[in-house]
Amino acid sequence: MAAKKFTIDDVKHIAQLANLVLSDEQLQKIAEQLSSVIGYMSKIQALDTKGVVETSQVTGLENVFREDVVDEKRMLSQESALSNAKNTHSGYFVVDAVLEE
Amino acid sequence: MLLDKTISELAAGLRKKEFSSVDIVTECYDAIEKHGKELNAFITVIDNTTALTYAQKKDNERTENTSPLHGIPFVLKDAYITQRIRTTSASNVLKNYIPQYNATVYQKLLDAGAILIGKMNMDAWGHGGSTENTDFGPAKNPWDTTRVAGGSSGGPAIAIAARMSAFAIGEDTGGSIRNPAAWCNITGLKVTYGRVSRYGTIAYASSFDTVGPMARTAEDCALLLELVAGQDPYDATSSPHKVPKYTQKLTGNIEGIKVGIPKEFFGQGLDSEIKKSIDIAAKKFESMGAKLIELSMPMFDYGLPVYYLIGPSETSSNLARYDGIRYGQGRNQFTPETMRRIMIGTYALSAGYYDAYYKKAQQARTLFIKEYEKALSSCDVLLMPVNPTPPTKIGELMSDPLANLLADVYTTLKYWIRISARN
């Protein structure tokens, strides 16, 4: 795979996926940086991985269960759960509207 | 100075009442007063009256059976959740965050009677190898303040080198304990993944993140690991394997131990002074009865690309939770380096590129495991450099993102496989 040159539109698309709002200056800068960094990382394409199984974790553990009971020691009170929120209302987190009227 | 002693020497002195916990803690605060501002190692210093009151309490309650960490002062990288104590991960996103619970490793140290002195500066979210990518100002190397301390656990390493703490808990994903330990001339241990619970650790890359000790000596690290290791019901990836008595294994006898030296790690790019120091260490091991075996690990060149595809992929996913709604500030507060890593990771995981980057890197990870298994079938341990160069000048790495990544060339090779490493 040839080294990819990132355009401003490419970066805008990735930023949207990443939920980041970038200024025009940041878009320009990151386009250049992604081209250089991803270009370097692309040397991985030379590695022969045909038929190699992926490793996503190294513990070898599978299906680690716990008893299906409530552990009250780990529960936060409503007051504590909301203690770091900037915007609350009647004991709830306030979020931006997701539906339009 | 009391803080020149090892933890077991401090513990013995406390029991014999040769000095008190108050004396040790006082030394920490004197050092902080003297060097704290200049080195910028701390993000939060615990109020000294609180710490000294606690030390006095520990002095009063000490018995023959108390833990060796009882009354010993320590610091935490600011990546560990501490109830009612601000925890920032060195990012403005969390500049006002006050956690509601304790990380397991912190709780274990509190239960043993250790005394928290401060929360330490680091590269934000673990993103860096110099403690410059921080919203709290760069940390400085205590041996030369024009140079970086290394990172991402720079603050903890400085605190030990400058005698502001007896020990620290760092966190290592791609070198974050080993790199600052090497550059600040202390001892750091990157433990095997799963050996210590990650519960309450602010995540960087979840399949790599490890919690490990930083201290003055290997003996200190062994003692600390014995205490903090073990299975935790709150971390499903923590290892069920029994925790060995690491301290009992420190016999000083390395007769017949086979030390593997992978030749690829000593090629172009390695600073000659660092190479010379490793040669001296190797000769020393040989004179003590160890056998040196040169071997080859040709996957070396692929280490960085694999790490810098999987790490950012996982971090882009982990950092997606910071939306400023339940806690913290908005996503526009991330530093340029962190935004870059989120962007790289998002790209590597995105439709159409997943197979070429993320999946490919996960397959390469399997090949690395095989390569290490092969190497370790012919020797007992591997001897490698930690950093390619001595500490860089402040600002030097921040100007070039690729150079910044390349500085991790050696350390990133040891994290994704089931292996531990020490500086």
Side-chain angles (χ1 to χ4, degrees), chain B residues 169-208:
Chain B
I169 299 296
E171 184 275 335
D172 194 316
T173 302
S176 285
I177 285 179
R178 291 159 286 157
N179 165 319
W183 277 352
C184 290
N185 204 22
I186 63 153
T187 306
L189 183 69
K190 181 240 171 280
V191 305
T192 305
Y193 183 85
R195 182 70 291 187
V196 182
S197 168
R198 290 180 298 116
Y199 182 70
T201 307
I202 295 175
Y204 166 11
S206 300
S207 79
F208 297 154

Side-chain angles (χ1 to χ4, degrees), chain A residues 73-84:
Chain A
K73 285 203 304 270
R74 291 182 76 188
M75 286 171 60
L76 300 181
S77 67
Q78 190 177 32
E79 188 193 354
S80 166
L82 293 167
S83 61
N84 278 292

Side-chain angles (χ1 to χ4, degrees), chain B residues 95-118:
Chain B
K95 66 180 176 193
N96 300 319
Y97 174 54
I98 310 290
Q100 299 99 326
Y101 62 97
N102 285 336
T104 295
V105 65
Y106 174 51
Q107 190 60 53
K108 280 189 168 184
L109 293 171
L110 287 185
D111 292 346
I115 300 168
L116 183 69
I117 297 292

Side-chain angles (χ1 to χ4, degrees), chain B residues 348-365:
Chain B
L349 291 175
S350 65
Y353 300 100
Y354 176 90
D355 281 356
Y357 293 108
Y358 186 71
K359 187 177 167 193
K360 185 91 178 173
Q362 297 283 57
Q363 289 174 311
R365 199 173 177 180

Side-chain angles (χ1 to χ4, degrees), chain B residues 15-26:
Chain B
R15 270 180 216 191
K16 287 187 214 142
K17 295 197 191 311
E18 287 167 7
F19 46 81
S20 69
S21 180
V22 169
D23 296 335
I24 307 173
V25 171
T26 302

Side-chain angles (χ1 to χ4, degrees), chain B residues 34-180:
Chain B
K34 231 161 130 187
H35 310 294
K37 266 219 175 73
E38 189 188 8
L39 299 177
N40 201 26
F42 287 77
I43 289 176
T44 302
V45 181
I46 303 299
D47 167 60
N48 66 348
T49 324
T50 308
L52 286 165
T53 309
Y54 196 57
Q56 183 65 61
K57 192 169 155 256
K58 294 290 145 194
D59 282 334
N60 296 341
E61 69 185 31
R62 187 167 299 112
T63 69
E64 275 302 299
N65 302 320
T66 42
S67 159
L69 296 187
H70 189 269
I72 308 282
F74 73 102
V75 295
L76 290 172
K77 184 179 188 178
D78 209 16
Y80 294 100
I81 299 291
T82 47
Q83 194 174 20
R84 291 189 291 277
I85 300 168
R86 179 174 74 144
T87 300
T88 66
S89 205
S91 171
N92 273 341
V93 173
L94 293 181
K95 66 180 176 193
N96 300 319
Y97 174 54
I98 310 290
Q100 299 99 326
Y101 62 97
N102 285 336
T104 295
V105 65
Y106 174 51
Q107 190 60 53
K108 280 189 168 184
L109 293 171
L110 287 185
D111 292 346
I115 300 168
L116 183 69
I117 297 292
K119 305 287 302 284
M120 310 310 286
N121 207 351
M122 56 185 276
D123 288 293
W125 316 101
H127 294 166
S130 63
T131 312
E132 292 174 288
N133 175 33
T134 153
D135 285 321
F136 295 83
K140 314 258 171 77
N141 194 304
W143 304 96
D144 176 354
T145 53
T146 66
R147 292 179 185 273
V148 303
S152 64
S153 311
I158 296 166
I160 292 157
R163 306 295 190 253
M164 297 161 163
S165 174
F167 71 90
I169 299 296
E171 184 275 335
D172 194 316
T173 302
S176 285
I177 285 179
R178 291 159 286 157
N179 165 319

Side-chain angles (χ1 to χ4, degrees), chain B residues 335-347:
Chain B
T335 62
E337 174 67 27
T338 293
M339 287 208 189
R340 194 156 50 233
R341 292 197 193 204
I342 292 174
M343 294 289 284
I344 294 169
T346 304
Y347 173 70

